[in-house]
Amino acid sequence: MSDVVLKIRNLQKSFGEHQVLKGIDLEINKGEVLVIIGPSGSGKSTLLRCLNFLEEYDHGEVLFHGRLVGYRKTSHDRMIKDSAKAIADIRKRMGMVFQSFNLFPHMTVLENVIEGPVQVRGISRTDAARNAKILLDRVGLGSKVNEYPSKLSGGQQQRAGIARALAMSPEVMLFDEPTSALDPELVGEVLDVMKSLAAEGMTMIVVTHEMGFARDVADRVVVMDDGSIVEAGSPAEIFSNPAQARTAEFLRRVLH
Amino acid sequence: MGYSWDFQTVWEYRQVFVRGAIITAQLTFWATLIGTSLGLFLGLMRRSDNAALRYPAAIYIESFRSTPILVQLVWIYYSMPILTGLQMGNIMSCAIGLGLHCSAYVAEIFRAGVNSIEKGQWDAAHAIGMRYPKLMLRIILPQAIRRMIPPLINEFATLIKLTSLGSVLAVNELLHEAENLINNTYRPLEIYTAVAIAFAIMIYPFIYASQRLERHWKIRS
C-alpha cells in the first residue's frame, strides 16, 4: 500500500462567478505535516474544507487513501454526489479544527469530546469518557472536563476542539487557521499542542498565518495565492530561498 | 345620559362563561397539537434540499399566511366533508382549521430558529461524521428550541384569541356563548367586558411565563 493519505488532482471550485480554486494538485503522505500559507482570500481554507467535503468542489478529485471524496463515478465516468453515509464515513476518519472553535455550547467539554465516539462510532459512554479524559489531560484541560465552553478562554476552547477531533482517532488532522481568532498571548498554548501532535507522527494539514510554526514544524510548506499553488517546498527553501517573486513578496509583508 | 352598569347579570350566568371557556381551551388544545406537530414537519420540509419536499411546504405555508383565517375556517368547515367524505362536528373542523393555520406560522418559527444556529455548528457536527437526523436532534435543535420558545408562546397566545372565530361556525366557545347570552339579557357591554377579562385571564399567564423564560436565558448565557 502506498503512503499517500490524500491526493488532490486539478481541484477547482467557484463561488458564483469567482473562481477560488483554479486547479490544485497536491499529495499528503502519512506522518507528514503540511502547512499552507498565503494571503487572505487565496483559497487556503476553501481547499482545506474540500478535503472533508464541507465544501463541494466543482472539478477535479480529492482521493482519501485512493477513495474519491464526496462523489462517486457512474459507468460513464460522470461524477455524482455520494450518499450521506459514504460522505460521513470518510469524514469520521479525518479530524478538523476550526478557526472559531465551534464547540457545542450546550454540552460540557467532556460531552463535546465523547459526542463523536458515542454517537457516530458507537463506542460505549464509559470507554469514550475514559479516552476523552486521557486526551483532555494531554491538551492540558484535565481540570476543565465538566465546564461549559462559554466558561473557557479561547485557547482552552481551541484545545478542547483539538481533543474533540482527536477522539475520533483520525488518520489526518485538518487545521483551519486554528489560532487566528485567539488573543496573541493564547496562541502559544495551542501551537504547543499541535507541535506535540506533529512530533508523535500525526498526519497534519495546517492552514495558518503563524510563520514561526510553518518554519519550525512543517515538513513541507505550500504557498497559495489567488486560488493556485505558487510554490511548495521545505521550510528552508520557502523561507530562505523562495523561487517565486510572489512568495518573496508575501513573506516580506507578513514577516515585516 | 348615564348608563347603569349591571354586572350582577354576568355573575348570575357565570356558568355559561365557564362552559365557553372549556370549549375555548379544547379548541386551543387540539389546534396546538395539530399546529405544532404539522408545523415542525413543514418546517423541516421547507429546509430540505429536496425540491419535491421544499416546494409543497412553501406553497402550503405561504397560502395560509396570505389568506384571512376567517376565510380558511369557513372554507374548511364547508369543504372538509366534501373532500374527505367525513362528517365532522363543528368543534373538530374548527380545531382542524385553526391547527392548519397555526402550523404555517409554527413552520416559519421553526425555520427561523434552525437558521439562527451558526454555520460552524453544522460544520463541526459534519466533521465528526454526524448525519442529518442526529445532527438535528443532538446539536441543532437543543440550541434552536431555546430561541423558538418565545415566538412559539406568542403564537400560542394568538391562537387562543383566534378561537373566538369559532363563533362564526356556531362553535360554543366563549364568544359564541357570550353572544347567546346577550340575546337573552340585553347586557352587551357587561358581557363583552367579561369576555375580554376571561380571555386575558387565560392568555396573560403564558405571556408572563415567556417573558420570565427569556430573562432567565438572557442571564444564563
Side-chain angles (χ1 to χ4, degrees):
Chain A
M1 286 299 284
S2 87
D3 260 2
V4 178
V5 177
L6 276 161
K7 189 181 175 78
I8 302 157
R9 273 204 297 244
N10 188 28
L11 191 71
Q12 295 180 37
K13 162 86 184 167
S14 297
F15 290 116
E17 295 284 286
H18 179 58
Q19 195 175 15
V20 281
L21 296 177
K22 299 175 177 171
I24 304 284
D25 293 283
L26 200 59
E27 271 187 21
I28 297 98
N29 297 310
K30 190 164 190 298
E32 192 179 19
V33 177
L34 184 90
V35 174
I36 305 173
I37 60 174
S40 303
S42 57
K44 311 181 295 283
S45 286
T46 307
L47 169 61
L48 195 73
R49 290 168 59 84
C50 283
L51 302 184
N52 64 350
F53 211 62
L54 283 187
E55 211 72 74
E56 296 180 15
Y57 50 94
D58 308 328
H59 290 288
E61 293 179 336
V62 174
L63 299 164
F64 179 59
H65 291 295
R67 232 191 103 181
L68 191 59
V69 173
Y71 298 97
R72 62 196 163 83
K73 283 196 170 147
T74 64
S75 47
H76 305 289
D77 233 27
R78 273 195 46 218
M79 304 230 293
I80 57 170
K81 205 169 148 186
D82 217 339
S83 69
K85 180 175 186 316
I87 293 169
D89 281 342
I90 285 185
R91 281 177 179 153
K92 65 190 180 195
R93 296 167 63 187
M94 305 187 197
M96 192 172 209
V97 175
F98 301 89
Q99 179 176 352
S100 48
F101 329 132
N102 297 347
L103 293 176
F104 306 131
H106 57 301
M107 297 181 182
T108 64
V109 169
L110 184 73
E111 287 167 344
N112 264 278
V113 177
I114 67 171
E115 183 67 9
V118 173
Q119 297 297 329
V120 178
R121 283 214 184 277
I123 294 168
S124 79
R125 251 189 107 83
T126 331
D127 290 347
R130 191 183 313 125
N131 187 42
K133 280 177 187 148
I134 294 168
L135 286 172
L136 286 166
D137 269 334
R138 244 179 69 185
V139 300
L141 291 176
S143 60
K144 303 283 183 191
V145 287
N146 293 320
E147 295 283 3
Y148 281 90
S150 59
K151 294 276 186 287
L152 303 184
S153 72
Q156 291 169 333
Q157 288 191 50
Q158 193 57 297
R159 284 183 282 141
I162 295 173
R164 176 176 66 181
L166 289 174
M168 294 297 284
S169 314
E171 292 158 59
V172 56
M173 285 281 283
L174 313 174
F175 292 87
D176 188 5
E177 304 201 23
T179 57
S180 297
L182 295 176
D183 291 334
E185 74 272 21
L186 301 176
V187 169
E189 61 190 60
V190 172
L191 293 181
D192 285 345
V193 169
M194 292 166 63
K195 278 178 198 164
S196 77
L197 267 181
E200 287 163 29
M202 174 62 80
T203 311
M204 295 164 60
I205 305 174
V206 184
V207 169
T208 188
H209 291 288
E210 293 293 326
M211 296 303 141
F213 180 85
R215 191 157 37 195
D216 300 341
V217 186
D219 296 309
R220 199 148 49 103
V221 176
V222 170
V223 185
M224 280 185 72
D225 189 19
D226 195 26
S228 306
I229 291 178
V230 178
E231 67 176 302
S234 71
E237 287 166 355
I238 299 291
F239 287 101
S240 313
N241 193 16
Q244 300 293 326
R246 275 198 288 175
T247 307
E249 162 65 19
F250 169 68
L251 290 174
R252 193 162 53 243
R253 268 189 286 123
V254 291
L255 300 172
H256 307 297
Chain B
M1 204 170 77
Y3 179 80
S4 66
W5 292 83
D6 173 23
F7 280 102
Q8 187 58 40
T9 324
V10 172
W11 183 246
E12 275 164 22
Y13 285 99
R14 60 191 179 276
Q15 277 312 315
V16 176
F17 287 94
V18 171
R19 206 165 63 209
I22 289 170
I23 301 289
T24 295
Q26 281 174 355
L27 275 179
T28 307
F29 174 82
W30 288 112
T32 305
L33 200 69
I34 296 166
T36 43
S37 42
L38 186 62
L40 292 179
F41 201 67
L42 283 166
L44 274 175
M45 279 172 70
R46 193 160 191 195
R47 293 196 80 269
S48 169
D49 288 334
N50 187 343
L53 295 173
R54 195 170 63 243
Y55 284 118
I59 290 167
Y60 176 97
I61 291 164
E62 298 313 337
S63 2
F64 271 93
R65 284 181 353 135
S66 54
T67 49
I69 170 131
L70 191 52
V71 174
Q72 293 162 17
L73 283 180
V74 174
W75 193 86
I76 286 162
Y77 179 70
Y78 288 111
S79 66
M80 271 299 203
I82 300 166
L83 291 175
T84 64
L86 294 171
Q87 207 56 52
M88 268 175 294
N90 47 4
I91 293 185
M92 213 52 217
S93 69
C94 180
I96 289 171
L98 289 167
L100 296 181
H101 171 85
C102 172
S103 69
Y105 287 87
V106 170
E108 286 299 281
I109 291 169
F110 178 82
R111 187 165 74 120
V114 169
N115 286 351
S116 76
I117 303 302
E118 300 71 31
K119 195 172 165 290
Q121 292 292 307
W122 298 80
D123 285 349
H126 278 136
I128 56 173
M130 266 197 180
R131 283 154 66 189
Y132 187 78
K134 267 194 182 152
L135 188 155
M136 262 297 166
L137 283 173
R138 300 204 40 95
I139 309 297
I140 304 302
L141 284 181
Q143 300 180 61
I145 281 188
R146 281 189 174 196
R147 304 183 191 184
M148 281 155 56
I149 289 220
L152 278 178
I153 291 180
N154 226 339
E155 179 56 30
F156 180 72
T158 303
L159 181 64
I160 300 178
K161 289 180 255 182
L162 289 179
T163 58
S164 59
L165 293 175
S167 60
V168 178
L169 305 182
V171 173
N172 291 324
E173 46 68 59
L174 201 47
L175 184 62
H176 192 72
E177 290 283 20
E179 279 165 350
N180 289 340
L181 199 56
I182 290 166
N183 291 337
N184 294 329
T185 61
Y186 305 104
R187 306 295 318 180
L189 284 182
E190 290 82 351
I191 288 169
Y192 281 131
T193 306
V195 166
I197 291 169
F199 270 107
I201 289 170
M202 285 192 281
I203 292 166
Y204 183 72
F206 292 104
I207 292 175
Y208 179 75
S210 160
Q211 286 166 346
R212 284 296 297 265
L213 207 58
E214 259 179 286
R215 213 173 311 149
H216 175 71
W217 281 338
K218 205 170 270 173
I219 291 164
R220 276 210 356 197
S221 60

